Amino acid sequence: MRVLAAAAAGVCCLAVVAAAQAANVTAGILKVRLGGDQVETRIVIDMNRSATGKIASDGAQDRRLVLNLNGASVEGPLQGAGLGLVKNWVVDQGAAGARLRIDLAADVVIKRRFLLPPADGIGNYRYVIDLAAKAPPTRTMVAAGARMTSAALPVIPVTAPPLSLKKVIVIDAGHGGKDPGAKGATGAEKDVTLAAARALKTRLEKSGRYKVVMTRDSDVYVAHDIRVKIARRADADLFISLHADSGTDSSLRGASVYTLADRASGRSAKFVNKDDWFMRAGSHGDNGVSTILLDLTQRMTRNRSATFAEVLLSRIDDHQQLLRRSHREAGLAVLLAPDVPAVLLEMGFITNPADEATLRDAGSRGRLMGGVADAIDDYFGQQTRLASR
């Protein structure tokens, strides 16, 4: 029993240390530099302190390489055009630290990754990634001035104009197809949720700041687990599920927002796979590390979901009456992604004449979705301000 208690205490201490490290991020990303050609390309990430890098995706399937720098932060998103094997790149804040995402220009292999401490007059840490083309062009196809050996690739600062950085928003129109949802006096919930989702999509895309993914854009049924998988495959920054409430008392009205309850976190495990970065961290037999990192990821996701829920309520309050207890927690299936901040918005009671009229009128519905879009702007603006402190 003492051995078991000691082991449990050790895991607990490790969790506390990991949580403290996650909460006290100290390594800052200063800049990203590229050098090389279409045969071999070197990526150098300058940091003011040491950090640990974990490959979340090697780009083999979709030519998108993702590196998590655990224990690092970035003061607002960084992005730029590519060079050689890199088409473009983005560094933003992920669940456990800074995240480098690279769109690759060709199929590559990662030849090596290593951390260089300050030395030879350079005062920064440098995290280096060397890429090589799987089917490289012949050296004669590469400009003579760009020829270089893999042992000494010069680092060339990126001078091309930065590319636009768009947050990925997944909009989930509740119900659909064989599942009509709640019934109002003049129709079904599935119709107003789809109309609202389309209005929100139009509003977000008009701003030019977001890439919008819909879980459904027609009257079809999509299973709850598929909706969650769509959000994870899209590498979503935010998931919003739109619904209309119902009640036996037709006088009951008002909007509310749900986030995932702590007690339901264990059900998120069904969406975790061996390729997730927090699972790969324990791929050398230390499953305890993966468990701790998964717990930290879920905790941060729940915190971000709750933050957005409060911002959302403050913005839609001008366009729709709120329930007295407007922020609620539940184990709703569409909120189970362990690494995607998610909320479910009950836009009002379809069983209440005033709320149903608001949801069915295009102008009122558009103003409500405008409030949701404003909340999204505020939420990501708040993230940028926090990162820059």
Side-chain angles (χ1 to χ4, degrees):
M1 292 296 291
R2 288 183 180 179
V3 172
L4 291 175
V11 171
C12 181
C13 289
L14 182 55
V16 170
V17 170
Q21 289 174 339
N24 185 25
V25 176
T26 56
I29 306 298
L30 304 176
K31 58 184 174 181
V32 176
R33 299 176 290 153
L34 306 179
D37 54 29
Q38 293 88 353
V39 178
E40 295 183 353
T41 302
R42 170 165 287 184
I43 306 157
V44 179
I45 306 167
D46 286 307
M47 305 180 292
N48 59 6
R49 297 188 184 226
S50 174
T52 302
K54 298 287 184 183
I55 293 292
S57 173
D58 62 6
Q61 294 184 342
D62 57 3
R63 287 190 177 178
R64 171 161 289 183
L65 190 153
V66 181
L67 172 78
N68 290 307
L69 285 163
N70 303 330
S73 65
V74 57
E75 293 188 356
L78 301 174
Q79 63 276 331
L83 181 74
L85 296 170
V86 175
K87 187 183 297 183
N88 54 65
W89 58 269
V90 169
V91 180
D92 61 1
Q93 200 66 28
R99 175 179 59 177
L100 171 67
R101 290 181 289 176
I102 298 172
D103 283 332
L104 298 167
D107 294 331
V108 307
V109 293
I110 301 172
K111 292 189 66 175
R112 61 182 72 85
R113 295 185 291 124
F114 53 92
L115 179 70
L116 291 173
D120 301 326
I122 298 176
N124 301 321
Y125 283 84
R126 290 149 291 161
Y127 194 94
V128 180
I129 308 169
D130 283 338
L131 305 178
K134 277 189 176 180
T138 62
R139 286 291 184 178
T140 57
M141 295 172 63
V142 181
R147 288 187 182 180
M148 54 196 69
T149 65
S150 60
L153 292 173
V155 176
I156 306 170
V158 175
T159 57
L163 302 179
S164 61
L165 174 62
K166 293 186 177 182
K167 295 293 185 181
V168 179
I169 312 298
V170 173
I171 305 174
D172 174 44
H175 306 282
K178 65 181 183 180
D179 176 16
K183 298 287 185 63
T186 58
E189 178 184 359
K190 67 177 184 178
D191 299 320
V192 297
T193 60
L194 182 57
R198 287 171 172 168
L200 179 57
K201 178 177 185 288
T202 299
R203 171 71 157 72
L204 292 175
E205 290 183 336
K206 186 177 180 180
S207 74
R209 291 191 290 271
Y210 305 102
K211 175 184 175 182
V212 179
V213 176
M214 301 270 280
T215 59
R216 71 179 183 96
D217 195 18
S218 60
D219 186 19
V220 296
Y221 174 74
V222 181
H224 291 152
D225 62 328
I226 299 300
R227 298 173 193 243
V228 176
K229 290 175 181 176
I230 289 172
R232 297 200 75 210
R233 282 199 298 267
D235 197 19
D237 296 287
L238 188 63
F239 175 92
I240 304 174
S241 189
L242 300 176
H243 287 256
D245 220 333
S246 65
T248 55
D249 183 355
S250 62
S251 66
L252 188 61
R253 65 174 305 195
S256 59
V257 177
Y258 284 84
T259 55
L260 187 67
D262 287 353
R263 65 180 182 276
S265 296
R267 293 166 55 204
S268 296
K270 66 183 288 188
F271 295 104
V272 175
N273 61 66
K274 61 182 178 62
D275 293 322
D276 289 322
W277 72 269
F278 38 79
M279 299 304 292
R280 289 188 176 191
S283 60
H284 299 293
D286 191 351
N287 292 328
V289 172
S290 295
T291 301
I292 290 169
L293 290 176
L294 172 59
D295 178 68
L296 291 173
T297 300
Q298 290 177 305
R299 191 180 312 165
M300 185 171 291
T301 299
R302 290 197 302 273
N303 289 341
R304 290 181 174 180
S305 300
T307 297
F308 175 68
E310 294 299 325
V311 175
L312 178 58
L313 288 168
S314 70
R315 276 297 193 171
I316 65 173
D317 193 19
D318 293 335
H319 308 287
Q320 175 65 302
Q321 181 175 315
L322 302 180
L323 282 177
R324 181 174 299 177
R325 187 168 64 87
S326 52
H327 183 185
R328 306 179 175 208
E329 293 185 346
L332 301 170
V334 292
L335 303 179
L336 288 176
D339 48 1
V340 179
V343 301
L344 185 147
L345 171 62
E346 295 281 8
M347 300 178 291
F349 279 75
I350 199 170
T351 48
N352 175 273
D355 277 0
E356 183 179 17
T358 296
L359 296 179
R360 292 203 174 279
D361 178 71
S364 299
R365 187 174 58 235
R367 286 187 289 274
L368 177 59
M369 290 302 101
V372 177
D374 289 340
I376 294 171
D377 289 340
D378 290 349
Y379 171 71
F380 288 113
Q382 183 183 80
Q383 280 193 335
T384 301
R385 289 192 296 273
L386 289 173
S388 64
R389 287 179 182 175

